[in-house]
Structures are given as structure tokens and as C-alpha cells.
């Protein structure tokens, strides 16, 4: 866990995994920030790393919608002042609701108010709910506010849409395009040989990657510590390929992005973000390289239209 709220002041705390920071999450966080501003207190987001399901259900590995760096970035954009990332361990999963409320919310974060979603659960075997939290708030001197969910908006639903290739549906729930990040590595360079040099993105394990197919979207470099900061502030419309490329056998599953009309980019070793706007088609095996090139031209034209403006 981090160092906790600095000084002796109180705070307004919101608690959740917040994977994806989707529109439902945003309602909760924005309410917490509003309460914090009303009270003149810092807004603190208490999150968990890794995803609790990975600890409670070993091997489940829920697909990650946002890495910890991106999640923190999105939470700060909503006005959160401090982020406390708790190391979620088996021991923590066995903590009673009372012990969690006392040790973490009351003593560590000095919560004056706690804002959560209506479906919030916590403590051993998820035995604590919002009413439990309200009772413990009376005991440990913090008030509790529960924010209603948005119908059909959940991290699980977003994961399902992404897995099906429905990136437009995912974007509607997220409030922005779904993003995949990673480091650009050397691939087979077949795109370059065909006249469409792509950034081959090596994504972290368990990243939520859309279904195999071709997509329209955007590519940009993201500055992170210890990696080269290339092309600052630039963002390019892109045609994106996800899959094994059935025209070439024996190719592992990849995410490759071609920045439209740019064959001069040198991105190897850079940390990049790929934003998915729309699915253009599924993957197809082409009988000839010429047929493949013709389809790529059509995909690029479609991506250009969809990302215009």
C-alpha cells in the first residue's frame, strides 16, 4: 500500500477496482470529488492491484481494460487528488469488513466520507455491503454515500464487447475508445514489405485485446519512465490489425497499427497507445499478395473516413 494521506487532515475516499474507469465508475468518482470539494478535503481513490479475482480465483486472469498507470491517469483527470493502490493479497481478502473499515478507511486514510457504488462489497467472502459500511461508518466516524449504477455498464460487460470485437459498444460504455498500450517491438516486417509499415505492439499479459480483425483507430506515443519519448503530442489516424494474419502461417497473435500515410516513423522501443474506433472486418486468408494489398488499400481508405476530424 502507499504512504496514506499526508498530514493529519481528513479525506473523502472512493473505493473500487476501477478497471476501465468506465462511465459507471466515473459517476462514483465524480461524486466523491464533488463531496471532497464541498468539504474542502482531498479526494482519495483506493484501488487494488492485482485484480482481486486473480487472488481469490487463481488462474482466472480477468482481461485488463486499463493498466495501473493508465487507470491512475484517468482517475486524476476526474479530479482525484491522491491514489492509494493497495496490494491485494490472500491475507487482505480474508480481512473482516470491520477490520478493513477501521485499519484502512478510518485510521490510514482518515475518511470523513466514503463514496462507493450501490453494488459495493468488501471484506472476507464479500460479506460486507453498503449497509455494512454505513454501520461501520457510524462506528468509525465517516459518512457513506452510494451511487446508483448505470444500466448495462460494467467492467465485465465492456470486456465481453471487446472480446466480441464490438469496440464501438465498448467505447459507448467507457465514454472513450478502448485503448491498448505496449512497447513497439520488431516483428516480421511484412507490413513494411507490402508498403504499410506497422508498429508491432507488445502488450502486457492479460490485456483486453479486441477479437481478431481489422479496425480503424488512432496510434500515439505515450511518455513513460525509462523509455524514449518520441513524437511528443502527435497522434495519428491508423488502420489496426489484430490476429495471426491467416495469409502467413505460423504467425503468433499480434496487435499492429499502421499510421495512415506515414512511412517515416521510427517507433521501436517506444511506449505507444492504440485506440480502437470501429471494426472494419474480420480476418481473411487471401489467395495472393496482390489481393491482400488491394484489401489493405480498402481498409486504409475506410479507416481514413472513420477517423476524419
Amino acid at each position: 500500500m502507499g504512504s496514506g494521506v499526508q498530514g493529519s487532515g481528513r479525506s473523502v475516499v472512493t473505493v473500487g477496482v476501477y478497471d476501465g474507469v468506465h462511465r459507471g465508475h466515473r459517476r462514483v468518482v465524480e461524486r466523491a470529488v464533488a463531496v471532497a470539494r464541498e468539504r474542502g478535503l482531498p479526494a482519495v481513490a483506493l484501488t487494488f492491484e492485482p485484480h482481486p479475482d486473480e487472488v481469490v480465483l487463481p488462474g482466472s486472469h480477468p482481461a485488463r481494460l486499463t493498466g495501473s498507470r493508465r487507470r491512475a491517469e484517468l482517475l486524476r483527470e476526474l479530479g482525484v487528488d491522491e491514489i492509494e493502490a493497495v496490494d491485494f493479497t490472500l491475507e487482505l481478502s480474508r480481512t473482516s469488513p470491520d477490520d478493513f473499515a477501521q485499519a484502512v478507511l478510518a485510521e490510514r486514510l482518515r475518511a470523513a466520507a466514503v463514496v462507493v457504488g450501490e453494488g459495493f462489497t468488501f471484506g472476507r467472502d464479500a460479506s460486507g455491503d453498503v449497509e455494512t459500511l454505513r454501520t461501520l461508518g457510524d462506528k468509525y466516524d465517516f459518512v457513506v454515500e452510494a451511487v446508483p449504477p448505470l444500466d448495462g455498464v460494467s467492467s465485465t460487460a465492456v470486456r465481453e464487447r471487446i472480446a466480441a470485437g464490438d469496440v464501438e459498444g465498448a467505447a459507448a460504455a467507457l465514454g472513450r475508445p478502448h485503448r491498448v498500450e505496449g512497447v513497439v517491438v520488431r516483428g516480421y516486417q511484412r507490413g513494411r514489405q507490402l508498403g504499410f509499415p506497422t508498429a508491432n505492439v507488445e502488450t502486457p499479459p492479460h490485456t483486453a485485446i479486441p477479437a481478431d480483425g481489422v479496425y480503424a483507430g488512432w496510434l500515439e506515443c505515450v511518455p513513460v519512465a525509462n523509455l524514449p519519448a518520441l513524437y511528443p503530442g502527435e497522434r495519428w489516424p491508423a488502420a489496426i490489425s489484430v490476429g495471426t494474419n491467416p495469409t502467413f502461417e505460423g504467425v503468433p497473435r499480434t496487435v499492429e497499427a499502421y499510421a495512415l500515410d506515414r512511412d517515416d516513423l521510427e517507433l521501436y522501443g517506444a511506449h505507444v497507445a492504440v485506440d480502437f474506433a470501429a471494426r472494419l472486418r474480420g480476418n481473411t486468408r487471401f489467395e495472393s499478395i496482390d489481393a491482400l494489398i488491394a484489401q489493405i488499400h480498402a481498409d486504409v481508405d475506410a479507416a481514413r473516413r472513420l477517423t476524419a476530424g
Side-chain angles (χ1 to χ4, degrees):
M1 191 185 298
S3 59
V5 174
Q6 299 300 311
S8 59
R10 308 290 298 272
S11 68
V12 175
V13 181
T14 183
V15 188
V17 177
Y18 290 133
D19 186 26
V21 195
H22 54 60
R23 289 171 54 232
H25 291 152
R26 283 165 52 184
R27 288 182 66 177
V28 179
V29 175
E30 286 171 349
R31 180 56 190 155
V33 169
V35 172
R37 299 297 178 261
E38 291 166 5
R39 290 170 170 256
L41 299 175
V44 179
L46 179 65
T47 66
F48 304 98
E49 192 69 34
H51 193 292
D53 283 356
E54 291 191 31
V55 175
V56 178
L57 302 169
S60 60
H61 301 306
R64 292 294 300 269
L65 301 173
T66 47
S68 56
R69 187 203 62 79
R70 175 63 170 162
R71 177 180 60 188
E73 179 181 73
L74 291 168
L75 290 171
R76 290 195 183 278
E77 287 176 2
L78 295 174
V80 168
D81 299 299
E82 185 171 340
I83 296 162
E84 287 285 310
V86 173
D87 294 327
F88 196 89
T89 62
L90 197 57
E91 180 182 5
L92 182 62
S93 74
R94 294 168 176 164
T95 302
S96 72
D98 193 302
D99 287 346
F100 179 83
Q102 180 183 18
V104 178
L105 299 177
E107 295 179 359
R108 183 174 191 82
L109 300 180
R110 293 185 52 77
V114 177
V115 181
V116 294
E118 281 187 351
F120 176 73
T121 59
F122 68 110
R124 184 187 303 116
D125 299 325
S127 56
D129 58 14
V130 170
E131 289 309 311
T132 309
L133 190 61
R134 285 199 172 102
T135 299
L136 292 170
D138 292 339
K139 181 177 180 180
Y140 294 116
D141 190 28
F142 57 80
V143 298
V144 174
E145 185 171 338
V147 178
L150 281 177
D151 289 343
V153 177
S154 69
S155 296
T156 298
V158 174
R159 292 186 191 103
E160 290 171 351
R161 289 170 186 167
I162 291 168
D166 180 14
V167 295
E168 291 173 284
L174 290 168
R176 64 183 186 282
H178 174 57
R179 170 172 289 194
V180 166
E181 295 190 19
V183 176
V184 178
V185 298
R186 292 189 181 275
Y188 292 92
Q189 298 192 320
R190 291 199 175 103
R192 185 175 297 275
Q193 295 164 11
L194 298 174
F196 302 92
T198 60
N200 187 0
V201 184
E202 185 174 70
T203 58
H206 316 306
T207 294
I209 296 175
D212 289 2
V214 178
Y215 297 82
W218 295 271
L219 171 68
E220 69 175 295
C221 287
V222 176
V224 297
N226 303 319
L227 286 177
L230 304 176
Y231 308 99
E234 293 193 50
R235 188 171 188 254
W236 309 284
I240 307 154
S241 174
V242 177
T244 57
N245 196 336
T247 302
F248 301 99
E249 295 182 0
V251 178
R253 192 165 190 253
T254 59
V255 176
E256 298 180 72
Y258 165 61
L260 303 188
D261 307 315
R262 296 296 299 265
D263 59 6
D264 60 331
L265 301 176
E266 293 294 337
L267 297 173
Y268 293 122
H271 187 95
V272 299
V274 178
D275 289 337
F276 291 84
R279 192 169 196 252
L280 302 178
R281 62 177 176 86
N283 280 353
T284 305
R285 181 181 178 87
F286 293 91
E287 296 304 318
S288 69
I289 299 300
D290 288 342
L292 171 61
I293 292 174
Q295 182 60 61
I296 294 174
H297 277 289
D299 295 336
V300 167
D301 288 343
R304 184 177 289 110
R305 290 193 300 271
L306 285 165
T307 57

